[in-house]
Amino acid sequence: MSLNKRTERRLYLRFALILAAVCGMLLSEACGVRSDMQDQPRYDAYEKSDFFSDGRSSRDYPEGTVARGHLEDNKAFFTGKIDNPDPNAQAATSTDANGNTVVASFPNAITEFPLPVTKELIDRGEDRYKIYCMVCHGQFGDGDGMVVRRGFPQPPTYHDDRLRNAPVGHFFDVITNGWGKMNPYGYQVQAADRWAIVAYIRALQLSRNPDSNLKMTSTANSNTAAPVPAKPETPAANAATNRGGTR
Amino acid sequence: MAQIFRKSANNIAKISMVTVVLLAGVGFYAWTQLARSSYLTGQYLEIQQPVQFSHKHHVADDGIDCRYCHQTVETTASAGMPSTQTCMNCHSQLWADAPYLEPIRASFRDNKPIQWNRVHDLPKYVYFNHSIHIAKGVGCSTCHGPVDKMPLVYEENTLQMEWCIQCHREPEKFIRPKSEVFNMAYRPEDTDQETRDQLKVDYKIRSREMLTSCSTCHR
């Protein structure tokens, strides 16, 4: 009898404890209490850091760091320039219809693609062109993109003799380092994608002048793969070359 | 000695027993609704930002692709927040003197990041990855809603697990052709069910068991 009673009391106690726990959980949930699991002591991409004085959890690389796959020893592929560029080479300039000074010769720029030009490359280039270039240069390269219509200084068209005769390395260099009012896009677009865009620009030029002697020649054997395939750019890699952008 | 309780007390006891059960039920239901309400999930609540950047203007009016700014969305877990330099690609020329954009210029001058307020804040025990969703044909607007119509961005969906899991159970109801992933004008009815079933096969989307396995999202 007494044993039964003790068991009974223990049961009641257990029930009361469970009830209290459930009520507590419901209450804390309803109040929006967040637990440690939700806010763990690690950083998400772009998260604010209280540890570093500039408040960024995405840190710059220490100077001289070379990330795997970023040795960039293929000069032609990563700069669009010839192997031993002449630092004293001066580009010839001329004046265009709007009175702007434009270059007419392109010393040191490579004239052939350093990777095989395939349909895939041009398709990729079209895709990337429509993301990064079309806003200013327009769908067909006439320099009449939406941002230009909003008042951005108009870039030159691709469809004149000067740029038709420009070597591919020049386009690559301009995308990478910017030109005039155009900011550098090297940090936004990977090198392989920049070459894809150059290939697409050539295709656009050819589309208007199929009879011209423009050629999409490549120094790379089409049997060998491109030197470096498009590699994902990590937020950390981004931070190394960028200004701003935490959180 | 008289009885403490009258006979009618039996009825009161019975009624109160039923009432307690009913109240508990109503209370539980109210709690489930409260937990799903935008008051607790933040759904549909516009988040104020240090610069009132309008996706509606930049996407719908100017036709700028999502990836112009969110560059890493196809390749990494994070979609990528644009550096201030990306803003300056245009705003070094356009509205270059506007007081409205002074925080951008200050950030660029001083090399100090703009502290945007996070709109979609997942708990840390969820390991979400943008790139895999893009690669399997989940459109931007499937989760983020009509961003091209949002002057200030808000959460279109609750980001609660029940919301995630409905697509992980039946991805064939939500996916679209990869070519349409970044198309903000795309509507689900643009692709019929048969095509979507085929897409699930073509894109090698894993089984329901795999997609709803705990460790797919929680590690």
Side-chain angles (χ1 to χ4, degrees):
Chain A
M1 184 73 186
S2 69
L3 192 77
N4 268 350
K5 247 187 184 156
R6 208 187 296 160
T7 323
E8 208 171 292
R9 213 176 295 149
R10 215 179 273 166
L11 261 176
Y12 280 138
L13 193 68
R14 204 171 288 172
F15 180 72
L17 275 175
I18 292 171
L19 198 72
V22 168
C23 285
M25 270 159 57
L26 293 185
L27 204 70
S28 64
E29 189 75 31
C31 301
V33 171
R34 302 186 63 148
S35 58
D36 287 347
M37 286 291 279
Q38 245 152 341
D39 294 311
Q40 296 166 23
R42 63 170 173 80
Y43 293 125
D44 281 338
Y46 306 107
E47 192 166 328
K48 184 180 163 51
S49 163
D50 294 326
F51 181 78
F52 296 106
S53 57
D54 62 0
R56 292 193 296 165
S57 61
S58 316
R59 307 308 302 163
D60 291 347
Y61 288 137
E63 216 173 311
T65 308
V66 177
R68 282 184 81 96
H70 286 264
L71 183 57
E72 308 196 348
D73 51 349
N74 187 336
K75 195 164 172 61
F77 186 82
F78 286 102
T79 65
K81 297 221 159 80
I82 53 175
D83 253 348
N84 294 305
D86 175 7
N88 299 320
Q90 291 286 320
T93 57
S94 64
T95 307
D96 72 358
N98 301 326
N100 298 323
T101 306
V102 291
V103 288
S105 74
F106 308 91
N108 297 337
I110 56 171
T111 53
E112 294 183 323
F113 285 90
L115 74 178
V117 180
T118 58
K119 182 172 185 304
E120 287 72 38
L121 186 77
I122 297 174
D123 286 345
R124 173 76 178 172
E126 176 178 11
D127 189 52
R128 298 294 113 173
Y129 179 89
K130 286 179 172 167
I131 298 169
Y132 298 108
C133 317
M134 191 175 76
V135 285
C136 284
H137 288 279
Q139 195 167 1
F140 306 112
D142 297 286
D144 60 348
M146 206 45 161
V147 173
V148 170
R149 289 182 218 180
R150 299 254 184 255
F152 198 94
Q154 185 169 14
T157 170
Y158 298 140
H159 305 288
D160 65 5
D161 279 338
R162 183 179 71 90
L163 284 182
R164 266 198 292 270
N165 293 326
V168 289
H170 170 68
F171 292 98
F172 185 88
D173 181 46
V174 169
I175 300 174
T176 309
N177 299 313
W179 191 272
K181 301 282 194 289
M182 175 177 160
N183 272 2
Y185 276 71
Y187 76 95
Q188 241 169 321
V189 189
Q190 299 282 303
D193 283 344
R194 275 174 259 154
W195 282 116
I197 290 172
V198 175
Y200 184 66
I201 292 173
R202 271 284 186 260
L204 281 178
Q205 292 177 326
L206 272 168
S207 71
R208 296 245 179 119
N209 283 278
D211 301 330
S212 70
N213 53 7
L214 274 175
K215 285 200 178 60
M216 310 258 273
T217 50
S218 164
T219 51
N221 188 338
S222 54
N223 294 327
T224 59
V228 174
K231 206 178 159 285
E233 196 165 306
T234 61
N238 242 340
T241 47
N242 290 359
R243 290 152 178 262
T246 307
R247 274 221 100 159
Chain B
M1 197 176 118
Q3 295 284 342
I4 298 172
F5 295 111
R6 290 195 201 171
K7 211 169 185 183
S8 63
N10 285 344
N11 285 334
I12 294 174
K14 277 178 200 162
I15 291 169
S16 40
M17 264 154 57
V18 172
T19 314
V20 163
V21 171
L22 272 179
L23 274 181
V26 169
F28 182 74
Y29 178 76
W31 170 63
T32 59
Q33 293 309 299
L34 184 70
R36 290 177 172 89
S37 72
S38 65
Y39 178 73
L40 286 186
T41 63
Q43 191 184 16
Y44 300 134
L45 298 182
E46 287 173 345
I47 307 292
Q48 297 301 317
Q49 302 289 357
V51 184
Q52 296 216 328
F53 177 86
S54 166
H55 276 82
K56 178 180 187 294
H57 174 67
H58 289 84
V59 179
D61 302 351
D62 294 342
I64 298 173
D65 193 281
C66 310
R67 290 163 288 182
Y68 187 92
C69 302
H70 303 293
Q71 292 143 16
T72 56
V73 72
E74 292 168 294
T75 48
T76 66
S78 160
M81 282 295 286
S83 61
T84 305
Q85 188 175 339
T86 308
C87 307
M88 295 303 277
N89 282 353
C90 295
H91 290 295
S92 61
Q93 303 293 323
L94 295 178
W95 303 103
D97 302 322
Y100 199 72
L101 295 180
E102 179 52 28
I104 303 282
R105 292 192 295 271
S107 158
F108 192 68
R109 263 199 315 270
D110 307 339
N111 198 17
K112 274 201 178 131
I114 300 163
Q115 295 192 22
W116 301 101
N117 295 312
R118 210 177 271 268
V119 178
H120 297 85
D121 195 7
L122 278 174
K124 292 249 168 150
Y125 49 74
V126 183
Y127 289 78
F128 178 81
N129 189 317
H130 273 94
S131 62
I132 188 66
H133 289 84
I134 300 287
K136 300 291 177 182
V138 180
C140 302
S141 61
T142 303
C143 302
H144 292 291
V147 176
D148 59 328
K149 296 186 179 65
M150 297 181 190
L152 275 178
V153 170
Y154 54 84
E155 235 177 51
E156 171 77 4
N157 290 296
T158 60
L159 302 194
Q160 284 177 322
M161 184 169 145
E162 65 176 9
W163 171 75
C164 301
I165 211 87
Q166 59 171 339
C167 184
H168 276 225
R169 282 193 182 120
E170 297 176 304
E172 63 274 12
K173 286 194 176 167
F174 300 93
I175 53 174
R176 55 173 91 170
K178 280 191 211 175
S179 56
E180 304 296 328
V181 164
F182 296 94
N183 179 3
M184 295 307 290
Y186 177 88
R187 294 288 165 267
E189 54 270 25
D190 292 351
T191 312
D192 58 32
Q193 191 54 54
E194 214 173 301
T195 315
R196 282 203 294 266
D197 289 340
Q198 186 56 43
L199 286 180
K200 189 188 171 196
V201 178
D202 293 347
Y203 295 167
K204 300 189 174 67
I205 296 176
R206 302 227 195 156
S207 66
R208 175 187 170 130
E209 288 70 27
M210 195 70 203
L211 287 183
T212 54
S213 160
C214 305
S215 62
T216 298
C217 311
H218 307 292
R219 288 162 202 171

